[in-house]
Amino acid sequence: MTPVDIFTLISGVLVGFTLGVIGGGGSILALPLLLYVVGMKDPHVAIGTSALAVAANAFANLVQHARAGTVKWPCALVFGASGVIGALIGSTLGKMVAGQHLLVLFAGVMIVVGVSMLRGKSGGGDPGVRITRPIAVRLVVIGLLAGLLSGFFGIGGGFLIVPGIMLGSGMPILNAVGSSLFSVGAFGSATAFNYALSGLVDWRVAGFFIAGGVVGGVAGMQTAIRLADHKGLLTRIFAFVLLAVAAYMLFRSLGGIGS
């Protein structure tokens, strides 16, 4: 095992742990970790690799939510199917943008995510929601847009998908979190597939990152149970971490553009 493999494993553990503790938004750290800790040089390869790792971790977590009965499958499938189309379009556009410019835009997304986490979310909704034609139309439109952004930036997009599913269907946040994992996995798979067609996925790094994510996810869920009463504080701390990382990415990326 090389030093790069060890750094990749540690990075995967960090992302998996964060996802386990606070849920949506944690996977957005995958790209900066691959760039600045693992040391990947090409932003596009880092995006394609992180998309694959995030997709694998999302499907692993989906199994647990499905067993718990929190997934609203009709809504999840409609949202996910339309979003895959958007992810393929978005990832195609993302490959056409210069790497440093893409990182500047990505840092902007991190700022939006950090601010949205500080604002918090409402958890209300109808736990018995059933899909209807109006709901299906809303899910298709919102899913397409969420998939487009997810594919363009190579992120899981849970921070977009959870509120999107809630807006489109009216389901509670607990069901939206469980249902969103199908879309996170599907969007990430579509993005990774598109990048892989261009040779922009490092399969070895992805394998170690996924392995680390599984270990970190288990530890994160156990920690979340012990710190359940402090989840709001943990989320705010993570939001500030995101804002700090975004500032660092802007500093590095804008410097790269100017040089």
Side-chain angles (χ1 to χ4, degrees):
M1 184 178 293
T2 67
V4 171
D5 296 335
I6 295 173
F7 284 130
T8 304
L9 269 174
I10 294 173
S11 298
V13 169
L14 288 173
V15 170
F17 181 81
T18 304
L19 282 170
V21 172
I22 67 168
S27 61
I28 200 169
L29 280 178
L31 178 59
L33 283 170
L34 288 175
L35 287 171
Y36 307 124
V37 175
V38 177
M40 300 186 79
K41 302 300 182 184
D42 187 337
H44 288 106
V45 175
I47 288 173
T49 303
S50 68
L52 177 61
V54 167
N57 287 333
F59 282 135
N61 288 324
L62 175 64
V63 173
Q64 301 177 44
H65 278 267
R67 289 174 177 170
T70 62
V71 181
K72 296 291 185 181
W73 285 107
C75 294
L77 291 171
V78 170
F79 191 96
S82 64
V84 164
I85 298 173
L88 290 172
I89 296 172
S91 55
T92 298
L93 295 174
K95 289 190 293 184
M96 298 167 60
V97 178
Q100 294 301 322
H101 291 91
L102 198 57
L103 293 182
V104 171
L105 295 174
F106 186 89
V109 172
M110 292 185 74
I111 293 173
V112 172
V113 176
V115 172
S116 68
M117 284 184 161
L118 289 174
R119 293 180 59 187
K121 303 173 185 175
S122 170
D126 177 15
V129 63
R130 294 181 179 275
I131 195 165
T132 62
R133 181 174 293 181
I135 287 178
V137 171
R138 289 198 299 269
L139 289 173
V140 166
V141 173
I142 298 172
L144 187 65
L145 293 174
L148 184 69
L149 291 172
S150 176
F152 184 79
F153 291 107
I155 54 179
F159 69 96
L160 287 171
I161 297 168
V162 171
I165 289 181
M166 292 177 69
L167 177 64
S169 67
M171 69 176 66
I173 189 170
L174 176 63
N175 297 110
V177 169
S179 302
S180 73
L181 289 170
F182 174 78
S183 294
V184 173
F187 297 177
S189 297
T191 301
F193 172 77
N194 202 347
Y195 271 77
L197 289 179
S198 301
L200 298 173
V201 172
D202 188 319
W203 298 98
R204 180 182 177 87
V205 168
F208 279 101
F209 201 97
I210 291 169
V214 172
V215 175
V218 173
M221 284 186 289
Q222 293 174 348
T223 302
I225 294 173
R226 292 196 297 270
L227 301 178
D229 295 336
H230 304 284
K231 184 174 181 181
L233 175 61
L234 293 172
T235 300
R236 287 192 293 273
I237 292 174
F238 179 72
F240 284 116
V241 170
L242 280 187
L243 294 175
V245 174
Y248 179 75
M249 288 187 71
L250 284 174
F251 173 77
R252 288 285 299 266
S253 300
L254 290 175
I257 291 175
S259 61

